[in-house]
Amino acid sequence: MANIKDVAKAAGVSTSTVSRTINNSSSIPAETKARITEIMKQLNYTPNQNAKSLTTNKSYTITLIVDVDDEKSFQNPFFYEIMHGIEKYVYNKEYSFIVANLKTMMKKQSVLDWLIRSKRTEGVILPSSMLDSKTVESLRKDKIPFVSIGEPIHLKDSITWVDIDNKRGAEVAVYSLLENGYKNIAYLGYDNTKLFNQRRYEGYLNVLESEKIKINPSYIIECNNTKDNGYNHTKTLLNLGNRPDAILCADGELSFGAIKAIQENGLSIPSDFGLISYDETKIAELSYPSISTVNVDMFEMGTQCAKLLFDQIENHQSINQGVLISASLNKRETTK
Amino acid sequence: MANIKDVAKAAGVSTSTVSRTINNSSSIPAETKARITEIMKQLNYTPNQNAKSLTTNKSYTITLIVDVDDEKSFQNPFFYEIMHGIEKYVYNKEYSFIVANLKTMMKKQSVLDWLIRSKRTEGVILPSSMLDSKTVESLRKDKIPFVSIGEPIHLKDSITWVDIDNKRGAEVAVYSLLENGYKNIAYLGYDNTKLFNQRRYEGYLNVLESEKIKINPSYIIECNNTKDNGYNHTKTLLNLGNRPDAILCADGELSFGAIKAIQENGLSIPSDFGLISYDETKIAELSYPSISTVNVDMFEMGTQCAKLLFDQIENHQSINQGVLISASLNKRETTK
DNA sequence: TAATCTTACGCAACCGGTTGCGTGATTACA
DNA sequence: TGTAATCACGCAACCGGTTGCGTAAGATTA
């Protein structure tokens, strides 16, 4: 395979000139460039990335860390979309991107550390769940740019992160329910251990407060995200004296159980009862009835992560604050 | 950051000796190795991957190509599992892996070609849908090992591929239905444009033939994989004079529509009617009733792909034939 | 004790690019 | 027309490893 010397020889110039042509240095006149470019094409020349990386001390590669054990990230298709968003951005920059997961990293003590120190990666995108202060410190010490997927619990004002606008998404959902005549809206799946859930809850409360609607504590169900919880707690809700006529599910799987419970109670959806679930998934569309969801654009999230990472890589500037991706409502058969 | 010269200096040896220690050359006595290893640890030395790649002409990286537009691969969580399987294998080898998708590649003419020619990758795992003869030829010319995810339509005897044992999976499903007393089993979702579907169909026919069960052509429904098709065609099946009492869905989404249709007909699942769907997904578990599925181990598929790729990379030998991953039955509420 | 064989490890070229510095040729300016 | 500035491009060192070849010291054998 042709190398830069072959090109230089064929063009009757030095390798310096070829290199400068490749890197578009201004000191080479256009016609020389054109000639060299033509010869590169003829010889089917592609610069050796490893040589380039060695001299420039840049790997032209970024890393995405995934957390296999975290169902919110790896198992579900969201992360996949994020990946896709990153990927598209990255290849436009002639970078490539590698994937490593937390579990493997544990085992090898620290694959991330290895990737960085061996100069395989120039930047890292990783889930907020991984960002303990030790990791942050280590990344800072190695001067490796990073972006957090998701708002971190600590450090939110000192690192760069991207998240869905969870609060606004919930607001949109609740407003939509109210506008369509639902009056008593329950919040199913409150979980104060998860920041995204907190934010959704804040959005829910926000709307009720602005609309001067009394908050009914028995409408707020604390539980984690399983279909059985959805079923059982919805049963309980429906047995209340003043039962709700709509539910906002904070998380996806709950809604399956909830729908089952509503139907069993003889209520018809959406005329008697409305339901909106957070998290758009393929499943929401397949269900009978198909579920109205708060739609989160994970592709965009990936793109933003990549963009913010490249801001740091290329311009050495970092915003060190959060960026929110807006969430929209995807109306289907569970709401009027 | 310390480099090999720093280590050599600190140890009072030449870089050759350090290099040979790192690469575990036999010509260095154990005590010298120990001393050098200790110093490497002290200096927190990690070999520069780019330098290593440059001299050895190996990138210590493989590439996974995904096909974003192909719903069977990118959208669904399967590919994700495959990725995970590959990833685990790869990091144990001190390799890393990069992800590129077809769509981007189209745009850049050929990112794959670029990855290869720039020496960024030593091997490729890619979906069979991408393996047209031109791509195969090009990979062969560059002497890049590759493994196909999925049985390719052409070339099946001349390249290395890994697939689910689709035929056997269908057999297991049909046998299970028969054993549980279902007598008239329909095949919903026949699609002769897809090899995996053909194989599943073969499995279905196989069992009926071995069991000397007459094949009823009106039980075999040709359609593609949507929930609406599942609904409508199941309606049709149920209106037949001798209606079936069980369905094997060749693909996942069909089953949602099918279940709806069965329930609307007043039949109870699983006592009156059984259903097994191909393709285990999260959705199958969430549905009411939860769906019995043929469970395909995609993690194992990824692992096998990686293994077969490394056989080629490390031993320069390739089996050039298919490997099948066995499929098992995941019994849930849609079967007795 | 001399000749031969091992062993341990260094020398230096090499992988394929990049880049600071320098120089001869050309152009601009006075 | 002489001098300075600019332009075009080459020289050679360098990035951080790997490896074939060579050799001195020590071990083995005759």
Side-chain angles (χ1 to χ4, degrees):
Chain A
M1 223 185 280
N3 63 23
I4 199 171
K5 280 176 200 154
D6 300 326
V7 175
K9 199 172 294 173
V13 296
S14 71
T15 60
S16 321
T17 304
V18 177
S19 175
R20 288 179 182 121
T21 298
I22 296 165
N23 297 298
N24 218 12
S25 156
S26 58
S27 73
I28 309 292
E31 37 189 328
T32 310
K33 268 186 196 171
R35 187 162 46 89
I36 292 173
T37 305
E38 178 55 29
I39 285 171
M40 293 195 297
K41 209 166 280 168
Q42 275 171 31
L43 297 181
N44 199 8
Y45 166 72
T46 309
N48 181 314
Q49 195 60 45
N50 301 126
K52 182 163 183 161
S53 290
L54 179 59
T55 46
T56 58
N57 202 27
K58 289 164 72 63
S59 58
Y60 302 96
T61 301
I62 66 164
T63 299
L64 171 68
I65 306 285
V66 293
D67 183 348
V68 188
D69 284 338
D70 179 4
E71 279 212 18
K72 274 313 283 177
S73 70
F74 200 84
Q75 290 280 0
N76 74 30
F78 295 166
F79 227 75
Y80 218 39
E81 285 292 315
I82 291 178
M83 224 175 82
H84 184 187
I86 295 171
E87 199 264 352
K88 195 179 166 193
Y89 198 94
V90 156
Y91 281 98
N92 281 332
K93 296 275 183 187
E94 301 232 323
Y95 269 59
S96 48
F97 95 100
I98 70 185
V99 178
N101 87 54
L102 187 59
K103 201 159 194 172
T104 316
M105 289 173 61
M106 292 305 196
K107 204 187 133 213
K108 269 197 65 73
Q109 203 62 23
S110 176
V111 169
L112 180 56
D113 198 57
W114 170 67
L115 287 168
I116 292 169
R117 302 186 57 80
S118 67
K119 308 284 183 189
R120 275 187 193 235
T121 196
E122 277 180 61
V124 182
I125 297 173
L126 75 181
S128 56
S129 59
M130 274 203 59
L131 277 172
D132 52 276
S133 57
K134 211 180 106 203
T135 305
V136 170
E137 199 184 318
S138 149
L139 289 165
R140 287 261 159 78
K141 215 184 67 203
D142 287 332
K143 297 199 167 53
I144 297 293
F146 66 94
V147 174
S148 165
I149 301 174
E151 180 180 355
I153 294 179
H154 307 296
L155 306 159
K156 68 188 284 285
D157 296 319
S158 61
I159 68 172
T160 304
W161 53 270
V162 180
D163 206 341
I164 298 303
D165 193 343
N166 283 299
K167 190 171 141 201
R168 184 74 200 128
E171 287 170 2
V172 168
V174 175
Y175 271 123
S176 165
L177 287 169
L178 291 173
E179 279 161 18
N180 287 290
Y182 302 105
K183 301 232 181 302
N184 302 307
I185 302 169
Y187 185 91
L188 179 58
Y190 175 68
D191 177 350
N192 67 1
T193 65
K194 302 204 172 123
L195 199 51
F196 67 84
N197 198 304
Q198 291 267 23
R199 295 282 179 258
R200 291 169 190 185
Y201 181 63
E202 283 169 23
Y204 166 81
L205 288 185
N206 241 15
V207 177
L208 298 192
E209 276 164 19
S210 342
E211 297 298 313
K212 312 255 188 292
I213 297 170
K214 205 167 71 229
I215 288 153
N216 182 341
S218 57
Y219 282 5
I220 294 156
I221 308 289
E222 185 164 356
C223 66
N224 50 21
N225 183 30
T226 67
K227 90 177 195 190
D228 284 349
N229 276 336
Y231 180 82
N232 295 325
H233 287 103
T234 302
K235 284 269 172 193
T236 310
L237 280 171
L238 296 175
N239 287 332
L240 289 175
N242 59 337
R243 63 160 182 78
D245 59 359
I247 290 180
L248 173 62
C249 290
D251 222 331
E253 298 188 15
L254 292 164
S255 52
F256 285 83
I259 288 173
K260 171 82 170 172
I262 297 162
Q263 286 172 334
E264 280 184 9
N265 242 49
L267 296 165
S268 90
I269 300 173
S271 56
D272 301 334
F273 207 100
L275 182 144
I276 296 181
S277 174
Y278 226 102
D279 290 347
E280 165 72 6
T281 59
K282 188 77 191 167
I283 318 182
E285 196 185 316
L286 291 176
S287 159
Y288 279 104
S290 61
I291 303 169
S292 301
T293 56
V294 177
N295 186 10
V296 293
D297 189 346
M298 287 294 170
F299 181 88
E300 174 62 18
M301 185 139 163
T303 305
Q304 280 297 324
C305 285
K307 187 183 166 312
L308 290 169
L309 191 64
F310 276 96
D311 281 351
Q312 295 179 60
I313 291 175
E314 292 171 345
N315 313 322
H316 304 283
Q317 65 192 14
S318 152
I319 61 162
N320 285 337
Q321 65 182 51
V323 168
L324 292 175
I325 310 293
S326 65
S328 64
L329 193 62
N330 214 339
K331 287 196 186 182
R332 293 208 183 79
E333 295 167 3
T334 57
T335 47
K336 281 186 274 203
Chain B
M1 222 183 282
N3 62 24
I4 200 171
K5 278 176 201 155
D6 300 326
V7 175
K9 200 173 292 172
V13 295
S14 71
T15 60
S16 320
T17 305
V18 178
S19 175
R20 287 179 183 124
T21 297
I22 295 166
N23 296 299
N24 217 11
S25 155
S26 59
S27 72
I28 310 290
E31 36 188 331
T32 309
K33 268 186 194 170
R35 187 162 47 89
I36 292 172
T37 306
E38 179 55 30
I39 286 170
M40 293 195 298
K41 211 167 277 170
Q42 275 171 30
L43 298 181
N44 198 8
Y45 167 71
T46 309
N48 181 313
Q49 194 60 47
N50 301 126
K52 182 164 182 160
S53 290
L54 179 58
T55 46
T56 58
N57 202 25
K58 289 164 70 64
S59 59
Y60 303 97
T61 301
I62 65 165
T63 299
L64 171 68
I65 306 285
V66 293
D67 183 348
V68 188
D69 283 338
D70 179 3
E71 278 213 18
K72 273 316 278 180
S73 70
F74 200 82
Q75 290 280 2
N76 75 29
F78 294 165
F79 226 76
Y80 219 38
E81 285 293 313
I82 292 178
M83 226 176 79
H84 184 187
I86 295 171
E87 200 264 352
K88 194 177 165 195
Y89 198 93
V90 157
Y91 280 97
N92 281 332
K93 296 274 182 191
E94 302 232 323
Y95 268 59
S96 48
F97 96 100
I98 70 185
V99 178
N101 87 54
L102 188 59
K103 204 160 192 174
T104 316
M105 289 173 60
M106 292 305 197
K107 204 189 133 212
K108 270 199 64 76
Q109 203 63 22
S110 175
V111 170
L112 180 55
D113 198 57
W114 171 66
L115 287 168
I116 292 170
R117 301 186 57 81
S118 69
K119 309 283 185 189
R120 275 188 194 234
T121 196
E122 279 180 59
V124 183
I125 296 173
L126 74 181
S128 56
S129 58
M130 274 203 59
L131 277 173
D132 52 275
S133 56
K134 210 178 110 204
T135 306
V136 170
E137 197 183 322
S138 150
L139 289 165
R140 287 261 158 79
K141 213 184 69 203
D142 286 331
K143 295 198 168 51
I144 297 292
F146 65 94
V147 173
S148 164
I149 301 175
E151 180 180 353
I153 293 179
H154 307 296
L155 306 159
K156 69 187 287 285
D157 296 320
S158 61
I159 69 173
T160 303
W161 53 271
V162 180
D163 205 339
I164 298 304
D165 193 343
N166 283 300
K167 189 171 141 202
R168 183 75 199 131
E171 287 170 3
V172 169
V174 176
Y175 270 123
S176 165
L177 287 169
L178 291 174
E179 278 161 18
N180 286 290
Y182 302 105
K183 302 233 181 304
N184 302 307
I185 303 168
Y187 185 91
L188 179 58
Y190 175 67
D191 178 350
N192 67 0
T193 64
K194 303 208 171 117
L195 199 50
F196 69 83
N197 198 305
Q198 291 267 23
R199 295 282 179 259
R200 291 170 189 184
Y201 181 63
E202 284 169 23
Y204 166 82
L205 289 185
N206 241 14
V207 177
L208 298 192
E209 276 164 18
S210 343
E211 297 296 313
K212 313 253 187 296
I213 296 169
K214 205 164 74 234
I215 289 152
N216 182 340
S218 57
Y219 281 5
I220 294 156
I221 307 289
E222 186 164 355
C223 66
N224 50 21
N225 183 32
T226 67
K227 91 178 193 188
D228 284 349
N229 277 337
Y231 180 82
N232 294 326
H233 288 103
T234 301
K235 284 269 172 194
T236 311
L237 280 171
L238 295 175
N239 287 333
L240 287 175
N242 57 339
R243 63 159 182 79
D245 59 359
I247 290 179
L248 173 62
C249 289
D251 223 329
E253 298 188 15
L254 292 164
S255 52
F256 284 83
I259 289 173
K260 172 82 170 170
I262 297 163
Q263 287 171 334
E264 281 185 8
N265 243 48
L267 296 166
S268 89
I269 300 173
S271 55
D272 300 334
F273 207 98
L275 181 143
I276 296 180
S277 173
Y278 226 102
D279 290 345
E280 165 71 6
T281 59
K282 188 78 192 165
I283 317 182
E285 197 185 316
L286 290 176
S287 159
Y288 280 103
S290 62
I291 303 170
S292 301
T293 57
V294 178
N295 185 11
V296 293
D297 188 346
M298 287 294 170
F299 182 88
E300 174 63 18
M301 185 138 161
T303 306
Q304 281 298 324
C305 285
K307 189 184 165 311
L308 290 168
L309 191 64
F310 276 96
D311 281 352
Q312 296 179 59
I313 291 174
E314 292 171 344
N315 312 322
H316 303 285
Q317 64 191 12
S318 153
I319 61 163
N320 284 337
Q321 66 182 52
V323 169
L324 291 176
I325 310 292
S326 65
S328 64
L329 193 61
N330 214 338
K331 287 195 185 183
R332 293 208 184 79
E333 296 166 5
T334 57
T335 47
K336 281 186 275 206

